[in-house]
Amino acid sequence: MNYEHKTMNRNKEFNMEKFVISVLVENKFGVLARVAGLFSARGYNINSLAVGETEAPEVSRMTIVVDADERIFEQVKKQLNKLIDTIRVQDLTGGEYVDRELIFIKVKAEKIGIREKIVKIVDSTGAEIVDIGKKSFTVEESGDEHRIKALIELLRPYGILEIVRTGKIAIQCDN
Amino acid sequence: MAKITGAEMMIKGLIAEGVTHVFGYPGGTIIPLLDHIYKGKDIKFHLTRHEQGAVHAADGYARVTGDVGVCMATSGPGATNLVTGIATANMDSIPMVAITGQVKCTLIGNDAFQEADMVGITRSITKHNYLVKDIKELPKTIKEAFHIARTGRPGPVLIDFPVDVQVQMAEFKYPKTVDIKGYKPTYKGHLGQIKRISKAIAKSKKPLLYVGGGVILSEASKELTKFARKTDIPVTTTMMGLGAFPEDDRLSLGMLGMHGTAYANHSVQAADLIIAVGARFDDRVTGRIDDFAPNASIVHIDIDPSSVSKNVEVDIPVIGDAKEILKELNKIAKKGKFDEWHKTIAVWKKELPLKYKDDARLRPQYVVEQIYELTKKEGAIIVTEVGQNQMWAAQHFTYTKPRTWVSSGGLGTMGYGFPAAIGAQVGKPDAIVFDIAGDGSIQMNIQELATAVLEQIPVKIVILNNGYLGMVRQWQELFYDRRYAFTTLAKKDCTACPDFVKLAESYGAKGMRITEKSEVKKALKTAIKTKGPVVMDFIVEREENVFPMVPAGKSISEMLHGLA
Ligand SMILES: Cc1ncc(C[n+]2csc(CCOP(=O)(O)OP(=O)(O)O)c2C)c(N)n1
Ligand SMILES: [Mg+2]
């Protein structure tokens, strides 16, 4: 063979990142399964997914947080767009947006001293205790990722029994 | 307005969409629908002997006509028997509407008799699918299903149609237009991008057109041929693109990829500009991706944005319909000066032609070549099964027109060919239709001989009988130390099983066995002259291999040449 061989780099290396997308879909049965199926069939990872109705009742919004590299994320967006029931895919990652998540943390709280300490932590962070059990407290917090992570870390030493979180919702800022 | 039943609505919808042929199989939950086809006269129903036969026939019909293929099956096992065929159509972007009966709405979810969740099962193998629970939604659903199947990047759409909705009554008004918020395919290419292609060609010394099935789907062969000739750029096609560009043209390099020609693959590796049109950089084409076209900038024209930069980073993407974009390109295309490039390629063509041992033995490649020789004047439609037979059919027949090559590319479905050939013959009743088959594949849907005989669908089946699951055996020979694990189909003394001639005759078809090279032409001529279906059992060289070959996962620079 008489051609030169200067290899072009056909597959660049990408780093894994977290991406946030907001997807408007038809509010019909089966749509969530289509979206979830798309991720599982192609081996993409969903970090969180939150769904709810929008201002227009025939349209739902899904806020999806995806763990992916840039190349896979491009495919995720294109594949989501390709679904017939997808009306719009909005990538929030690059721009300015506000995001919130709601979390319940059930934390072990048996001894009096410990119970007091937890109450203090909760007060100082602005979170709220929504259930006082004999052996545990349930703490509610809403906020962005940092805020929620901070609270989890503060409570972890006392023994976290259960965590329930909604997944992130996000909205683009007006500017 | 008078009320009509759901079943009647469906038939009216099909007629409005121009459907004249349906392939299918009956069962409890689809009786009302088939009853209306039976009572009417606008739609011809073809009863196959297996639902898989029906779905592949609808697919073959779609591939040769360009229309939407339609198939029907009952709920549960009937519907699940369609799955392989729907996946086959999906992989090759074939427009199809599959209609399945479903249990009564009130029973859905109850594990009722013959209930299967078809919308769930086919979600990832259809372009879109529907379960019609409300008769008011039916007209819109039919309209949308056909629209989605045939527009954009085409594909199969399934409508799951509960039996109680088939007999409900409602007023029927068929919508004239479709408006789906989330589905607006792009047809016109971006003019700025199109100009960039033209500039890239002007800078290039070694450009190459890499053409896929998208050109056939968009009916863009004429525009492509004009573009190639005008710019003097050589053309290689994928297996799905066979027929998109005349292979007897001096610019044709034939097929590229795993079993492509050596000169096509060398051209890809040497090119400085690859212009992909309606192709998707499938792994059977690219080989090891990081060494694919290492010297080339890449232009990608495709209607599906998700195909672009999926496998290979693209430098100039143009989203839109191949035909529209090629038309625009033709307006600004200039005559190229690629004499050096053509000379280089000519040397490869001369030194590394497609060849096989043309001795006295009956070799499968010779049979394919003779089919071409005997039909080149009037033309033929070549349908294939999967395996070595498929690759020899791709390599040794010269395709000059679109929609004359029908083969399961993306899924590689054994058992596809014969029913697809039946569908193709129904779609093109005057064409000579050959199914080039392997002795393994043909047994997967051989029951359709009954369909072909009873409806007098004159498909010519050419079994390249090597007594093996040949393609797998080839891999075992080359990469597994000749351990032929479970790939031998013949009896211990090497006689074929079954006796295909007797089998054909038992169905009432003509059967022939050919064991000598000298008998090939005569047998083929007889078959072509015969009015009904014919089964030709060619007992070919048993361990013939398909070459050239790029081993899976290797770079396309690392071809095995066999004899060449
Ligand atoms: C449904 C299905 N099962 C298995 C395979 C894997 N496969 C690919 S080629 C092949 C052998 C085909 O044998 P035959 O039809 O005799 O064709 P030959 O290669 O001998 O020409 C097999 C088993 C397939 N492609 N499809
Ligand atoms: Mg075989």
Side-chain angles (χ1 to χ4, degrees):
Chain A
M1 228 173 307
N2 51 354
Y3 54 78
E4 249 182 83
H5 218 83
K6 62 170 186 224
T7 297
M8 241 180 219
N9 201 353
R10 290 255 173 263
N11 25 3
K12 277 186 250 166
E13 292 281 324
F14 292 103
N15 296 326
M16 293 295 278
E17 286 171 65
K18 243 183 206 150
F19 295 92
V20 185
I21 22 177
S22 179
V23 188
L24 288 177
V25 297
E26 300 274 356
N27 185 5
K28 287 184 193 158
F29 68 84
V31 178
L32 179 59
R34 287 186 204 280
V35 172
L38 181 158
F39 278 82
S40 65
R42 292 181 184 265
Y44 306 147
N45 246 331
I46 299 182
N47 187 286
S48 75
L49 189 156
V51 201
E53 263 185 24
T54 62
E55 65 284 358
E58 72 280 6
V59 176
S60 302
R61 182 185 298 277
M62 297 186 181
T63 308
I64 310 176
V65 181
V66 189
D67 281 324
D69 65 26
E70 212 178 293
R71 179 133 169 198
I72 290 176
F73 183 60
E74 278 305 309
Q75 263 302 304
V76 169
K77 281 192 284 181
K78 286 174 176 173
Q79 293 294 342
L80 281 169
N81 257 316
K82 200 168 158 177
L83 292 179
I84 308 285
D85 288 330
T86 302
I87 299 163
R88 199 155 73 96
V89 179
Q90 197 180 5
D91 177 6
L92 299 178
T93 319
E96 266 186 60
Y97 63 93
V98 186
D99 69 281
R100 289 290 179 273
E101 185 174 17
L102 177 67
I103 184 171
F104 292 132
I105 307 169
K106 193 179 275 179
V107 60
K108 228 199 246 172
E110 282 168 305
K111 295 192 195 120
I112 302 261
I114 300 245
R115 286 173 83 98
E116 280 171 358
K117 275 190 190 162
I118 293 175
V119 171
K120 265 196 197 141
I121 290 174
V122 171
D123 280 348
S124 69
T125 54
E128 206 180 321
I129 296 177
V130 290
D131 181 54
I132 302 175
K134 280 204 185 100
K135 293 177 175 172
S136 70
F137 289 153
T138 297
V139 183
E140 174 197 315
E141 175 67 301
S142 81
D144 62 14
E145 208 174 311
H146 296 292
R147 197 180 166 104
I148 285 180
K149 207 167 160 195
L151 182 64
I152 295 172
E153 289 319 314
L154 285 172
L155 294 177
R156 194 184 296 285
Y158 301 95
I160 291 177
L161 300 170
E162 210 177 330
I163 284 181
V164 179
R165 48 202 300 181
T166 56
K168 202 179 265 190
I169 57 167
I171 192 162
Q172 196 172 37
C173 296
D174 237 349
N175 39 12
Chain B
M1 203 188 290
K3 289 186 174 181
I4 60 171
T5 64
E8 228 176 322
M9 284 187 188
M10 179 62 85
I11 303 308
K12 281 189 189 289
L14 295 183
I15 292 168
E17 295 298 332
V19 175
T20 49
H21 293 274
V22 169
F23 304 87
Y25 206 90
T29 60
I30 199 142
I31 294 176
L33 184 58
L34 301 197
D35 188 47
H36 275 285
I37 297 184
Y38 184 80
K39 286 192 287 195
K41 55 178 182 340
D42 300 287
I43 293 176
K44 169 112 177 85
F45 188 87
H46 303 271
L47 171 65
T48 54
R49 290 302 180 273
H50 189 301
E51 289 84 356
Q52 191 183 354
V55 62
H56 290 325
D59 173 310
Y61 179 89
R63 290 190 206 221
V64 301
T65 60
D67 299 335
V68 180
V70 180
C71 60
M72 291 178 184
T74 193
S75 63
T80 56
N81 271 347
L82 297 179
V83 166
T84 302
I86 294 172
T88 303
N90 192 52
M91 281 294 243
D92 291 345
S93 309
I94 303 307
M96 174 187 289
V97 171
I99 301 162
T100 46
Q102 181 55 282
V103 300
K104 282 195 267 188
C105 291
T106 48
L107 289 180
I108 290 177
N110 281 11
D111 300 325
F113 176 65
Q114 295 196 328
E115 179 186 359
D117 170 17
M118 286 316 290
V119 165
I121 289 171
T122 62
R123 196 154 38 226
S124 64
I125 54 165
T126 49
K127 185 168 171 188
H128 197 55
N129 58 20
Y130 297 89
L131 168 62
V132 190
K133 287 209 249 176
D134 179 354
I135 189 158
K136 286 198 232 70
E137 292 288 312
L138 184 59
K140 182 166 165 262
T141 303
I142 304 168
K143 184 82 195 170
E144 284 188 7
F146 277 86
H147 176 71
I148 290 170
R150 64 160 71 99
T151 56
R153 176 176 176 177
V157 178
L158 178 127
I159 304 176
D160 206 19
F161 194 14
V163 65
D164 52 342
V165 183
Q166 292 176 39
V167 295
Q168 267 164 34
M169 309 272 287
E171 285 177 359
F172 176 73
K173 196 163 162 258
Y174 199 60
K176 288 211 172 62
T177 54
V178 189
D179 180 32
I180 308 167
K181 269 187 249 149
Y183 179 70
K184 308 261 190 290
T186 309
Y187 289 95
K188 288 255 177 276
H190 188 279
L191 283 180
Q193 291 294 84
I194 291 173
K195 278 192 195 129
R196 283 180 67 200
I197 300 180
S198 196
K199 280 189 199 141
I201 296 173
K203 272 201 284 179
S204 163
K205 293 196 170 66
K206 302 172 180 178
L208 178 66
L209 276 156
Y210 149 46
V211 169
V215 168
I216 290 168
L217 294 166
S218 97
E219 306 283 358
S221 295
K222 239 176 61 192
E223 286 74 15
L224 171 84
T225 307
K226 186 170 166 192
F227 178 66
R229 289 184 181 152
K230 210 165 163 185
T231 52
D232 206 29
I233 298 177
V235 182
T236 178
T237 77
T238 65
M239 194 187 84
M240 292 307 297
L242 289 174
F245 185 77
E247 289 194 299
D248 53 5
D249 192 284
R250 75 179 174 88
L251 289 170
S252 172
L253 305 182
M255 182 170 84
L256 82 167
M258 182 174 271
H259 291 296
T261 63
Y263 40 94
N265 285 343
H266 284 340
S267 301
V268 170
Q269 297 303 76
D272 63 5
L273 177 68
I274 301 254
I275 306 168
V277 193
R280 59 187 176 86
F281 298 86
D282 177 88
D283 53 276
R284 283 293 185 267
V285 159
T286 61
R288 208 180 76 222
I289 198 89
D290 54 4
D291 194 45
F292 174 75
N295 304 299
S297 304
I298 295 191
V299 172
H300 193 179
I301 297 171
D302 206 287
I303 198 154
D304 178 6
S306 74
S307 283
V308 175
S309 292
K310 182 177 64 181
N311 302 330
V312 167
E313 268 326 295
V314 170
D315 301 290
I316 310 179
V318 194
I319 305 299
D321 177 44
K323 187 174 181 137
E324 297 284 333
I325 292 167
L326 285 165
K327 268 190 197 161
E328 288 301 326
L329 266 173
N330 277 330
K331 285 186 201 160
I332 52 172
K334 292 192 193 78
K335 173 102 194 128
K337 276 210 192 81
F338 305 120
D339 294 349
E340 278 306 309
W341 180 220
H342 288 302
K343 264 187 223 156
T344 313
I345 294 173
V347 173
W348 289 328
K349 275 191 170 177
K350 200 164 153 240
E351 283 175 0
L352 301 164
L354 251 190
K355 66 177 174 200
Y356 64 94
K357 205 165 177 190
D358 198 11
D359 54 9
R361 313 188 78 125
L362 176 47
R363 296 193 190 265
Q365 299 94 328
Y366 175 79
V367 178
V368 174
E369 244 174 42
Q370 288 312 307
I371 297 173
Y372 173 64
E373 289 304 325
L374 289 174
T375 59
K376 67 180 170 194
K377 253 210 222 109
E378 62 272 64
I381 291 173
I382 302 296
V383 187
T384 79
E385 300 290 346
V386 167
Q388 293 182 313
N389 58 85
Q390 178 183 33
M391 293 305 137
W392 288 318
Q395 292 177 333
H396 296 279
F397 192 95
T398 307
Y399 298 90
T400 56
K401 290 198 178 71
R403 303 197 182 280
T404 58
W405 161 259
V406 177
S407 189
S408 165
L411 203 66
T413 307
M414 286 174 70
Y416 169 82
F418 180 35
I422 290 176
Q425 186 79 76
V426 168
K428 295 275 175 198
D430 298 326
I432 304 175
V433 179
F434 277 93
D435 173 34
I436 297 186
D439 47 323
S441 302
I442 192 66
Q443 292 186 64
M444 287 208 177
N445 275 312
I446 191 75
Q447 76 285 346
E448 299 309 331
L449 267 175
T451 313
V453 168
L454 293 181
E455 293 199 20
Q456 280 300 295
I457 298 169
V459 170
K460 315 302 176 206
I461 302 176
V462 169
I463 303 175
L464 301 175
N465 191 343
N466 51 14
Y468 283 116
L469 297 171
M471 184 56 94
V472 181
R473 186 208 55 75
Q474 174 170 344
W475 286 42
Q476 290 167 333
E477 177 186 334
L478 298 174
F479 314 118
Y480 291 85
D481 254 344
R482 300 182 62 103
R483 284 187 304 280
Y484 293 169
F486 321 119
T487 45
T488 308
L489 298 175
K491 290 186 198 156
K492 281 224 161 60
D493 62 357
C494 279
T495 48
C497 178
D499 180 329
F500 285 109
V501 174
K502 281 191 193 149
L503 184 73
E505 285 165 355
S506 79
Y507 276 100
K510 185 173 178 63
M512 289 191 255
R513 176 162 302 115
I514 301 92
T515 54
E516 300 297 327
K517 188 176 179 182
S518 57
E519 303 166 352
V520 171
K521 267 190 212 170
K522 196 169 149 235
L524 289 170
K525 277 187 197 156
T526 310
I528 291 169
K529 267 193 243 135
T530 304
K531 281 220 168 68
V534 180
V535 179
M536 284 160 277
D537 186 19
F538 289 90
I539 309 297
V540 297
E541 198 56 23
R542 289 199 70 194
E543 299 199 19
E544 190 71 29
N545 285 331
V546 182
F547 287 118
M549 176 182 194
V550 179
K554 293 269 166 119
S555 157
I556 60 173
S557 301
E558 303 170 70
M559 261 171 294
L560 307 177
H561 290 287
L563 278 174

